[in-house]
């Protein structure tokens, strides 16, 4: 009896451990799932030479604001606010810092000076849907109205096609697409795109070119495919994959572009 009793106890302990491991393996819901109304803030925002990135992480938001002071100098503010349902805003979460960074010609940070780490801020939306930054340390956001531009910057790949999206001005994105049709033919698109907040998508216009190569990879010819230009729509699906639609003559309906972390970092 005792022998069977120990076997039963061992089996019970194994079951308890298995259930415990399964519970630990389950992912904790992120902040946006716990507080879905906060998602209105999750985006990139711009105001002149300021760019603000607000993203929901475990336990709250991370807000980073970068002011481009020159080609080799920038100022960075970073906060960890929480969403307040009473004020419909992101409010102080206990951390706020201001840094000055020096960059090399490749955009890499070469030196960092910390000005302070006891800052605080409140982020809210005005009647026009613009984001307002109330910096409680030095009122650095006074007079700024940040416009929502989505979060599209990066490199995306699908099979032999690659899409690179870069925010390159105060009003628009630059979209570059390279699609290798075969070993000897490729197509390239150069487009400018603006963010449509209602669609949560990029609406793009630009030109397409077709390039032919010889067996050694040398260019034989380059020609414009559509002299009148082309249009496109870029948006994310429910799985976070980038979808490219609307370009005449391109069968991209079934293509799902995945974010290329390495390519985006190198870009």
């Amino acid at each position: 009896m005792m022998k069977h009793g120990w076997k039963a106890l061992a089996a019970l302990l194994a079951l308890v451990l298995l259930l415990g491991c399964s519970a630990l393996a389950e992912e904790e819901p992120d902040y946006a799932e716990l507080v879905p109304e906060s998602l209105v803030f999750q985006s990139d925002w711009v105001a002149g030479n300021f760019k603000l990135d607000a993203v929901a992480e475990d336990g709250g938001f991370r807000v980073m604001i970068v002011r481009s002071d020159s080609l080799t100098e920038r100022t960075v503010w970073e906060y960890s606010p929480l969403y307040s349902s009473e004020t419909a805003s992101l409010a102080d979460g206990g951390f706020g810092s201001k840094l000055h960074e020096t960059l090399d010609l490749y955009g890499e940070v070469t030196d960092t000076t910390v000005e302070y780490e006891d800052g605080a801020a409140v982020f809210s939306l005005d009647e026009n849907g613009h984001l307002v930054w109330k910096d409680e340390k030095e009122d650095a956001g006074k007079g700024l109205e940040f416009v929502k531009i989505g979060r599209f910057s990066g490199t995306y790949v699908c099979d032999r096609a690659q899409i690179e999206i870069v925010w390159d001005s105060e009003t628009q994105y630059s979209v570059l697409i390279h699609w290798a049709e075969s070993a000897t033919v490729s197509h390239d698109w150069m487009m400018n795109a603006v963010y449509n907040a209602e669609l949560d998508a990029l609406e793009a216009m630009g030109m397409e070119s077709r390039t032919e190569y010889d067996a050694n990879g040398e260019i034989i010819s380059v020609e414009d495919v559509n002299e009148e230009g082309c249009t496109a729509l870029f948006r994310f699906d429910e799985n976070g994959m980038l979808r490219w639609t609307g370009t005449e003559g391109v069968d991209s309906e079934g293509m799902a572009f995945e974010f290329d972390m390495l390519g985006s970092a190198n870009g």
Side-chain angles (χ1 to χ4, degrees), residues 19-208:
L19 292 175
C21 291
S22 297
L24 290 173
E26 292 181 2
E27 292 185 2
E28 291 288 335
D30 62 29
Y31 193 75
E33 292 177 341
L34 294 173
V35 192
E37 57 269 33
S38 69
L39 278 175
V40 66
F41 289 95
Q42 181 159 274
S43 180
D44 287 341
W45 306 74
V46 293
N49 63 332
F50 288 79
K51 187 174 182 182
L52 184 152
D53 176 33
V55 58
E57 299 182 327
D58 293 339
F61 265 77
R62 177 185 58 81
V63 177
M64 185 170 70
I65 304 163
V66 177
R67 183 185 68 199
S68 299
D69 301 318
S70 69
L71 291 176
T72 58
E73 301 284 338
R74 70 184 185 187
T75 304
V76 181
W77 292 262
E78 191 163 0
Y79 306 92
S80 57
L82 300 174
Y83 182 77
S84 169
S85 57
E86 294 182 1
T87 60
S89 65
L90 297 179
D92 177 40
F95 175 78
S97 67
K98 180 181 179 181
L99 313 173
H100 296 284
E101 295 181 339
T102 302
L103 313 174
D104 61 22
L105 296 179
Y106 300 99
E108 299 293 331
V109 177
T110 58
D111 185 64
T112 300
T113 302
V114 179
E115 183 167 328
Y116 59 74
E117 293 183 317
D118 60 347
V122 176
F123 302 91
S124 58
L125 300 180
D126 65 16
E127 64 275 9
N128 298 314
H130 297 159
L131 186 145
V132 178
W133 167 31
K134 175 58 177 175
D135 173 33
E136 298 181 349
K137 181 76 172 179
E138 55 183 354
D139 203 15
K142 183 177 181 180
L144 296 176
E145 293 183 356
F146 286 84
V147 178
K148 193 172 189 177
I149 63 169
R151 182 179 284 110
F152 289 87
S153 294
T155 301
Y156 305 83
V157 293
C158 177
D159 196 17
R160 298 193 303 271
Q162 175 180 290
I163 300 175
E164 182 180 359
I165 303 177
V166 179
W167 179 258
D168 66 357
S169 76
E170 295 184 11
T171 59
Q172 65 186 19
Y173 285 91
S174 173
V175 180
L176 302 176
I177 306 172
H178 178 75
W179 191 347
E181 179 183 318
S182 67
T184 58
V185 176
S186 68
H187 294 259
D188 293 273
W189 290 260
M190 298 180 62
M191 299 182 175
N192 293 323
V194 295
Y195 177 66
N196 184 318
E198 293 185 3
L199 298 176
D200 191 21
L202 294 186
E203 296 178 319
M205 296 183 63
M207 303 294 294
E208 176 190 356

Side-chain angles (χ1 to χ4, degrees), residues 179 243-247 250-257:
W179 191 347
R243 297 286 183 165
W244 166 27
T245 58
T247 302
V250 180
D251 184 17
S252 60
E253 290 287 342
M255 301 180 73
F257 287 80

